[in-house]
């Protein structure tokens, strides 16, 4: 049962992420906590997402802007590693529900005030988004929605948005899984599930890339905002 759940959730996650630029971890984290603890489930999710983000980043590598993506990526990594080290001493259920509510409010605000509340990418915004996404990524393996909003504001095309977002996630998935291995949250007995999940995620990704190419910038932005709201709702419901 666990193998089927991992394969299907990974395939759906790959499909969603290849269209919106994030969401694979959110999809998998709606399923994996039923089979693993809240310390292990994010580790499995991260290990699977590593394969997805690396392949997507490689396919879109020509559109990656290091000057744009390096600062938030480094901030994300620092915050994520720090957060993972404190997992054992936190009430993750309560914190996850609070985070879910935050995502719903943020997504709704951006969707309803789309033309009036465009985010301006400043050094301060970069620091806040990078650190906040890193903390959420380290604790819950769902830092993607925040960085998705950041890269939507910082880029002017679907290719640039996807490429820079996936480069960020690829680097931080490597950092995260390394830290989780060293912390004992990811062990070798989980490797078969990871490999199965990577296969599922690649299959989902192929379908998503074909469909996503038909979206224009406005449709993509609205889809991402709507999915941020859905991500928050699913996160809350799962932990009630």
């Amino acid at each position: 049962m666990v193998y089927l759940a991992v394969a299907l959730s990974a395939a759906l996650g790959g499909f969603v992420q290849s269209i919106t630029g994030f969401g694979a971890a959110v999809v998998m984290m709606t399923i994996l906590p039923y089979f693993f603890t809240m310390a292990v489930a994010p580790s499995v999710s991260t290990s699977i997402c590593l394969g997805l983000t690396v392949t997507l980043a490689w396919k879109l590598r020509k559109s990656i802007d290091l000057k744009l993506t390096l600062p938030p990526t480094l901030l994300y990594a620092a915050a994520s590693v720090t957060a993972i080290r404190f997992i054992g001493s936190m009430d993750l259920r309560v914190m996850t529900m609070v985070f879910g509510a935050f995502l719903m409010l943020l997504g709704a605000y951006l969707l309803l005030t789309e033309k009036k509340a465009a985010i301006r990418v400043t050094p301060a915004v970069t620091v806040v988004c990078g650190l906040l996404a890193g903390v959420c990524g380290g604790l819950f393996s769902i830092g993607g929605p925040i960085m998705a909003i950041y890269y939507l504001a910082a880029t002017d095309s679907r290719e640039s948005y996807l490429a820079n977002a996936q480069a960020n996630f690829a680097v931080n998935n490597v950092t995260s899984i390394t830290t989780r291995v060293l912390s004992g949250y990811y062990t070798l007995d989980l490797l078969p599930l990871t490999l199965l999940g990577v296969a599922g995620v690649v299959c989902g990704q192929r379908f998503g890339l074909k469909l996503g190419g038909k979206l224009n910038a406005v449709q993509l932005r609205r889809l991402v905002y709507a999915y941020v709201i859905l991500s928050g709702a699913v996160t809350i419901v799962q932990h009630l």
Side-chain angles (χ1 to χ4, degrees):
M1 184 63 180
V2 65
Y3 284 92
L4 179 61
V6 168
L8 293 179
S9 63
L12 180 57
F15 176 79
V16 169
Q17 180 139 336
S18 62
I19 294 178
T20 65
F22 75 102
V26 176
V27 171
M28 286 187 281
M29 284 299 290
T30 63
I31 302 296
L32 297 182
Y34 290 102
F35 300 93
F36 308 99
T37 67
M38 275 303 294
V40 175
S43 300
V44 176
S45 172
T46 299
S47 68
I48 295 172
C49 287
L50 175 59
L52 171 64
T53 54
V54 168
T55 56
L56 279 175
W58 177 255
K59 287 183 177 181
L60 301 169
R61 62 189 181 280
K62 293 182 180 180
S63 298
I64 295 174
D65 183 348
L66 290 179
K67 292 183 179 179
L68 168 65
T69 201
L70 194 57
T73 297
L74 295 178
L75 289 166
Y76 188 121
S80 176
V81 169
T82 302
I84 291 172
R85 293 181 176 178
F86 285 95
I87 285 178
S89 60
M90 295 181 176
D91 187 337
L92 293 182
R93 179 176 177 275
V94 173
M95 293 186 64
T96 303
M97 293 179 68
V98 171
F99 177 61
F102 167 75
L103 288 181
M104 290 185 67
L105 291 174
L106 178 62
Y109 174 74
L110 292 171
L111 188 62
L112 295 174
T113 61
E114 182 181 2
K115 296 182 179 180
K116 299 178 181 179
I119 295 176
R120 294 182 179 179
V121 177
T122 64
V125 169
T126 298
V127 171
V128 171
C129 287
L131 293 179
L132 182 58
V135 170
C136 295
L139 294 179
F140 320 117
S141 188
I142 44 178
I146 296 171
M147 292 314 305
I149 292 172
Y150 175 85
Y151 284 115
L152 274 177
T155 57
D156 55 7
S157 71
R158 176 179 179 272
E159 289 72 22
S160 179
Y161 160 68
L162 284 177
N164 287 285
Q166 299 317 305
N168 180 307
F169 299 150
V171 170
N172 282 294
N173 279 331
V174 171
T175 302
S176 177
I177 197 61
T178 300
T179 306
R180 294 177 191 279
V181 168
L182 294 176
S183 301
Y185 298 130
Y186 185 87
T187 53
L188 283 177
D189 61 302
L190 297 173
L191 185 58
L193 288 172
T194 295
L195 295 176
L196 177 63
V198 169
V201 107
V202 169
C203 291
Q205 168 196 308
R206 291 181 178 178
F207 288 104
L209 286 174
K210 293 180 180 179
L211 178 62
K214 300 178 181 179
L215 299 175
N216 60 39
V218 175
Q219 290 173 324
L220 176 64
R221 186 165 58 251
R222 291 174 179 173
L223 180 61
V224 169
Y225 294 160
Y227 194 70
V228 168
I229 299 173
L230 178 61
S231 300
V234 171
T235 301
I236 292 174
V237 170
Q238 180 189 344
H239 292 86
L240 287 177

